[in-house]
Amino acid sequence: FTDNAVLNGTPIKDVAGWVAYADAAAATPVDGTGGSPNVTWARSATSPLSLKYNFLFTKDAANRQGQGVSYDFTLPLVLASGSAYISFEYGSGGSYASGDVKAYIYDVTNSVIITPSNTSVSSGTGLFTATFAASSSTSYRLILHVSTVNASAWTLKVNRVRVGRTTLGGALAADQIA
């Protein structure tokens, strides 16, 4: 465990592990998997946030509440039944409004949504941070969920996604900078 359970938190080569989904149309996700989503998640080098590439979450000009993107990860036993964090850089574009996307954790083992200390991804550019109480499970899913019925097109750049026991920081490996 390298203090980050998200093994592809920066899209150096691809978007492996990240999956778009379409849950029921609701402000809170069901499980962050399945369905036929209209939103997309891609790797982009256009005006990156801090490194050469970032993820690009794109929603068209339609109500896409209940859709989003998720990433399955494993927490080490040392964090089971303890406090863990989520952090990522973000930058919004188009008609994105604060709270259009909310971050959740899904406990895969116990089939339950965990609401972190902060869920709302603000508009503009910044650093999203939140904590959540891990259960005795080690199998989880990070969910970035379209929670509003905003029918305008928007984009959300995301980079340096981390889930673990420390906040962003420290040296990056050479392949994370390329």
Side-chain angles (χ1 to χ4, degrees):
F1 181 68
T2 62
D3 287 336
N4 188 6
V6 178
L7 302 179
N8 191 13
T10 300
I12 301 307
K13 298 176 184 164
D14 55 34
V15 297
W18 293 92
V19 179
Y21 69 85
D23 275 346
T28 304
V30 175
D31 61 7
T33 188
S36 298
N38 301 101
V39 298
T40 62
W41 183 259
R43 175 179 178 252
S44 174
T46 304
S47 303
L49 294 166
S50 63
L51 302 172
K52 189 173 180 180
Y53 300 99
N54 50 243
F55 295 110
L56 184 63
F57 189 173
T58 304
K59 187 191 81 61
D60 60 357
N63 173 0
R64 300 298 182 200
Q65 183 186 53
Q67 298 188 29
V69 64
S70 65
Y71 185 91
D72 287 359
F73 63 93
T74 302
L75 280 180
L77 285 174
V78 70
L79 290 179
S81 300
S83 182
Y85 77 91
I86 307 163
S87 67
F88 54 85
E89 300 169 345
Y90 67 87
S92 63
S95 296
Y96 183 90
S98 291
D100 277 345
V101 168
K102 292 188 176 181
Y104 291 91
I105 298 292
Y106 183 73
D107 178 338
V108 175
T109 304
N110 298 305
S111 301
V112 64
I113 289 287
I114 298 171
T115 302
S117 61
N118 174 30
T119 58
S120 185
V121 179
S122 297
S123 62
T125 302
L127 178 66
F128 175 90
T129 60
T131 58
F132 67 96
S135 68
S136 59
S137 172
T138 59
S139 182
Y140 295 91
R141 180 175 298 132
L142 173 62
I143 299 172
L144 299 180
H145 184 76
V146 178
S147 66
T148 66
V149 295
N150 180 349
S152 297
W154 53 253
T155 59
L156 184 68
K157 295 177 185 179
V158 176
N159 204 356
R160 295 169 75 164
V161 182
R162 299 177 60 86
V163 174
R165 59 179 144 194
T166 59
T167 58
L168 273 174
L172 292 170
D175 68 340
Q176 291 181 301
I177 300 169

